[in-house]
Amino acid sequence: MPVLLSEEHQIRQPEDVVLVRQAVRQKAVELGFNLVDQTKLVTAASELARNTLQYGGGGTLRLESLVDGLRRGLRLTFADEGPGIADIEQAMRDGFSTAGGLGLGLSGARRLSNEFHIDSRPGEGTRISITRWR
Amino acid sequence: MLTEIVAHDEAALLQRWIDNQFNASGFRPDRIGRAELQENSTQFLSSFRRALNSGATDIQGADWAGVRHILDGLSSARAEQGFSPTETATFIFSLKQPLFERARALYANDPARLAEATWEISQVLDKLGLYTAEVFQRGREAVIVRQQQEMLELSTPVVTLWDGILALPLIGTLDSARTQVVMESLLQRIVDSGAAIAIIDITGVPTVDTLTAQHLLKTVAAARLMGADCIISGIRPQIAQTIVHLGVELGSVVTKATLADAFSVALHRAGLAVVQKQAARRKPPADPDRESEGNEA
Amino acid sequence: MERIPILKMGEYLLVTIQVDMHDRLAMTLQDDLTAKIVAARARGVLIDISALEIVDSFIGRMLADIAGMSRVLDAETVVVGMRPAVAITLVELGLSLTGVRTALNVERGMELLRRRIAGRNEDDAGSA
């Protein structure tokens, strides 16, 4: 699938989560997503960026504009080199949290996107990518 | 040369052409009557003859305006009537055969002229046939654009029942895409109007499956987050059965059988009541003039 | 340090969130607000989020926590002005903010607070 544009953002401190939200909003507006879809993308990005910071000890976000025939899409890939997730199935469940949160981060982000991929190995880190199509 | 072929006994040519159209495999007697066909053909042929007489060959030129005008009307009418582009273009192409027959009869002893006439006939009729297809296409596109517009307007009619009370009468099947449009438009109207109560009426929704029920519940939940209450009304008996069979948890959502019941709940919450007019029409306080009139009667 | 201002109006506290908050700022607001409820002996808290373009699970939890904490401190909380796109997204995210009272705008929110507080005063007088 052709990738039109790609950029990377660092996620090192809480302020970076705000910057990620702004960067995703800007890209979503550029790609012509409607207001509700923009809001869903930004919210999902906020959840995943926070996870990257809290559980992964920081990492990166790659933003990619996709083209598939007449469709345009935005893919966000969050990667960290933290401890990884031992039981992905458990982590995906609503209400499961190891840090005292609401446990809606992963499951919520999946509901807010059209495609969701997670790849994680204990000791090696986690890579989560979500895509939303216009 | 073509002028000569057409002008020679126009009435017979017309008759031959109409018979041809009538017997063509693509003819649709269910969509068009013989009288209309006769009228279309007569008008076209006389206009066609005049255009040929002018000597101009460019069908986009001023001398062919009359012919184009007739084809414009015919093609858009047939697009609306549901004809296919082929059926529409057949109107023109079916004129080829009678014209070829005439050319053969007239130039039987002159093969060179016959070939030339055949070429001329083909060229002009092909151009006109393509022209009808083009107009037909534009007509269809206009129909599609209009229908899309109508459907969008139909799908989200948020109405104000009273100051502070909105209603969304849903009609037709609720798929995900449509529900999102409906949901957004209702919530936006709630913000714009400041209405604290919205009634979602599903009388016109044929079936409710788990997904539809979830969409409705999400709308109610989103409205609540914004500070507005929703009432779902128009729940028919079989839909009530489906909801229970599917195990859909309605939670604290207020549901009513009819829009009238929901409206009455909404009025009550807004601190309003509907009273019978009789109470207000009670005998007015003693009026001397009126009193005397009554006595006289 | 950056802070969200909290205004006092009689027995009410008014907070208007106008910036995209990072998590630390949100936690600071929660601390400041609970401290101020006690210090000002506030009976009602109104939080205007009409400027917020997103509410994620962290901000959502903060709002629910503030409502819960203020209830313990004998104050009512009303969250007003949530945008439609934000509400739709929150529902999809799986957050319904049960226990948080909401109103369409500041005016409606104040009405709701007055009614709630009047009701509680009556209850208190009745049980006394």
Side-chain angles (χ1 to χ4, degrees):
Chain A
M1 199 182 310
V3 175
L4 272 196
L5 222 114
S6 165
E7 61 182 59
E8 217 166 85
H9 294 263
Q10 295 292 319
I11 306 168
R12 297 286 163 212
Q13 47 187 347
E15 286 79 359
D16 290 341
V17 177
V18 177
L19 295 179
V20 160
R21 291 203 285 252
Q22 286 164 359
V24 173
R25 169 80 65 180
Q26 199 192 336
K27 265 283 154 319
V29 171
E30 278 171 23
L31 284 172
F33 280 96
N34 70 30
L35 186 59
V36 172
D37 286 347
Q38 287 171 30
T39 311
K40 286 181 175 174
L41 265 166
V42 175
T43 307
S46 182
E47 300 292 343
L48 295 177
R50 183 179 295 108
N51 278 0
T52 300
L53 193 62
Q54 274 186 353
Y55 303 112
T60 54
L61 158 66
R62 199 169 72 241
L63 275 164
E64 293 166 301
S65 314
L66 308 177
V67 182
D68 176 22
L70 287 171
R71 290 198 304 172
R72 301 290 296 272
L74 185 57
R75 180 162 67 203
L76 314 176
T77 308
F78 294 83
D80 66 57
E81 287 163 8
I85 302 168
D87 187 344
I88 291 179
E89 219 170 282
Q90 185 187 39
M92 288 302 303
R93 223 174 291 146
D94 266 352
F96 177 81
S97 173
T98 51
L102 287 172
L104 289 172
L106 282 185
S107 53
R110 176 159 67 174
R111 278 195 292 271
L112 293 175
S113 45
N114 300 126
E115 286 163 30
F116 182 98
H117 296 286
I118 182 164
D119 185 14
S120 183
R121 285 194 194 94
E124 285 176 36
T126 304
R127 172 184 294 268
I128 297 173
S129 91
I130 59 170
T131 308
R132 202 170 168 94
W133 294 101
R134 192 168 55 107
Chain B
M1 187 168 15
L2 191 48
T3 323
E4 193 185 338
I5 298 169
V6 173
H8 178 77
D9 196 2
E10 193 176 316
L13 177 67
L14 179 66
Q15 203 47 52
R16 185 82 182 81
W17 179 32
I18 292 173
D19 287 344
N20 237 355
Q21 291 184 67
F22 214 73
N23 299 324
S25 59
F27 184 69
R28 303 291 300 264
D30 53 325
R31 302 237 159 107
I32 191 165
R34 188 162 184 126
E36 193 183 342
L37 189 67
Q38 178 116 27
E39 196 190 317
N40 286 339
S41 307
T42 313
Q43 278 180 351
F44 175 83
L45 207 56
S46 72
S47 211
F48 184 55
R49 182 175 39 78
R50 259 177 277 134
L52 287 173
N53 279 338
S54 74
T57 51
D58 177 14
I59 66 153
Q60 298 295 341
D63 293 311
W64 287 81
V67 172
R68 287 201 309 273
H69 179 73
I70 290 170
L71 290 181
D72 284 347
L74 183 117
S75 299
S76 358
R78 294 196 174 186
E80 293 259 351
Q81 286 161 345
F83 279 79
S84 77
T86 310
E87 285 159 3
T88 305
T90 302
F91 175 74
I92 295 296
F93 293 137
S94 59
L95 183 56
K96 273 189 184 179
Q97 201 190 347
L99 287 180
F100 285 156
E101 283 171 6
R102 288 202 152 194
R104 273 201 297 277
L106 281 172
Y107 309 119
N109 303 321
D110 191 345
R113 288 200 77 179
L114 177 58
E116 201 186 324
T118 310
W119 170 243
E120 237 180 84
I121 294 166
S122 288
Q123 233 188 352
V124 71
L125 288 187
D126 285 352
K127 278 190 210 155
L128 291 173
L130 286 175
Y131 181 79
T132 62
E134 254 172 55
V135 176
F136 177 89
Q137 191 59 30
R138 281 203 296 276
R140 290 301 290 171
E141 275 161 16
V143 170
I144 291 169
V145 168
R146 200 187 63 226
Q147 284 175 344
Q148 277 174 339
Q149 197 62 35
E150 283 171 358
M151 273 173 68
L152 215 64
E153 283 163 12
L154 270 178
S155 68
T156 55
V158 183
V159 293
T160 306
L161 288 185
W162 202 266
D163 189 26
I165 303 173
L166 294 180
L168 177 70
L170 291 175
I171 292 161
T173 312
L174 287 176
D175 59 17
S176 296
R178 191 172 161 230
T179 312
Q180 185 166 348
V181 174
V182 168
M183 192 162 160
E184 284 172 40
S185 108
L186 176 66
L187 298 182
Q188 192 54 51
R189 276 291 297 275
I190 287 176
V191 174
D192 296 344
S193 65
I197 305 171
I199 300 170
I200 302 174
D201 186 78
I202 59 168
T203 310
V205 178
T207 53
V208 171
D209 57 13
T210 319
L211 214 60
T212 314
Q214 272 170 1
H215 282 317
L216 284 174
L217 293 179
K218 280 179 187 170
T219 309
V220 176
R224 200 200 71 83
L225 283 174
M226 292 167 48
D229 283 328
C230 287
I231 301 170
I232 299 180
S233 73
I235 301 180
R236 285 175 283 115
Q238 60 269 49
I239 287 186
Q241 288 185 14
T242 322
I243 287 176
V244 173
H245 284 155
L246 289 173
V248 175
E249 196 53 69
L250 284 176
S252 57
V253 178
V254 179
T255 53
K256 291 284 161 198
T258 67
L259 180 58
D261 292 342
F263 185 46
S264 135
V265 171
L267 284 174
H268 179 76
R269 285 204 197 156
L272 299 163
V274 178
V275 292
Q276 195 119 37
K277 211 176 165 190
Q278 259 174 353
R281 233 195 322 176
R282 228 175 246 147
K283 226 178 174 183
D287 180 341
D289 290 339
R290 197 173 277 262
E291 206 70 35
S292 58
E293 267 176 43
N295 288 343
E296 279 165 26
Chain C
M1 196 184 130
E2 201 184 352
R3 280 195 138 80
I4 309 270
I6 301 170
L7 305 179
K8 183 176 178 300
M9 285 173 64
E11 54 185 350
Y12 307 111
L13 296 181
L14 188 66
V15 182
T16 305
I17 304 176
Q18 273 169 331
V19 293
D20 190 355
M21 293 187 292
H22 55 78
D23 295 359
R24 273 206 302 261
L25 186 56
M27 291 317 289
T28 310
L29 173 63
Q30 185 173 309
D31 293 344
D32 287 356
L33 200 50
T34 41
K36 191 99 178 214
I37 292 172
V38 176
R41 304 177 61 140
R43 299 299 309 279
V45 178
L46 193 135
I47 304 176
D48 180 5
I49 60 164
S50 57
L52 281 193
E53 289 180 335
I54 73 148
V55 170
D56 63 8
S57 68
F58 192 85
I59 306 294
R61 185 167 79 138
M62 178 203 75
L63 294 172
D65 285 352
I66 288 175
M69 290 168 190
S70 64
R71 204 171 300 123
V72 176
L73 296 169
D74 194 27
E76 285 280 341
T77 301
V78 175
V79 172
V80 307
M82 188 184 289
R83 299 183 180 187
V86 173
I88 292 171
T89 303
L90 260 188
V91 170
E92 207 67 50
L93 189 63
L95 216 59
S96 56
L97 297 188
T98 34
V100 178
R101 295 194 175 279
T102 53
L104 288 174
N105 49 43
V106 174
E107 206 180 341
R108 292 285 176 80
M110 284 306 272
E111 265 171 46
L112 182 60
L113 272 183
R114 272 194 209 102
R115 263 206 320 275
R116 298 284 305 171
I117 291 168
R120 282 172 74 148
N121 286 344
E122 267 172 38
D123 287 352
D124 291 350
S127 61

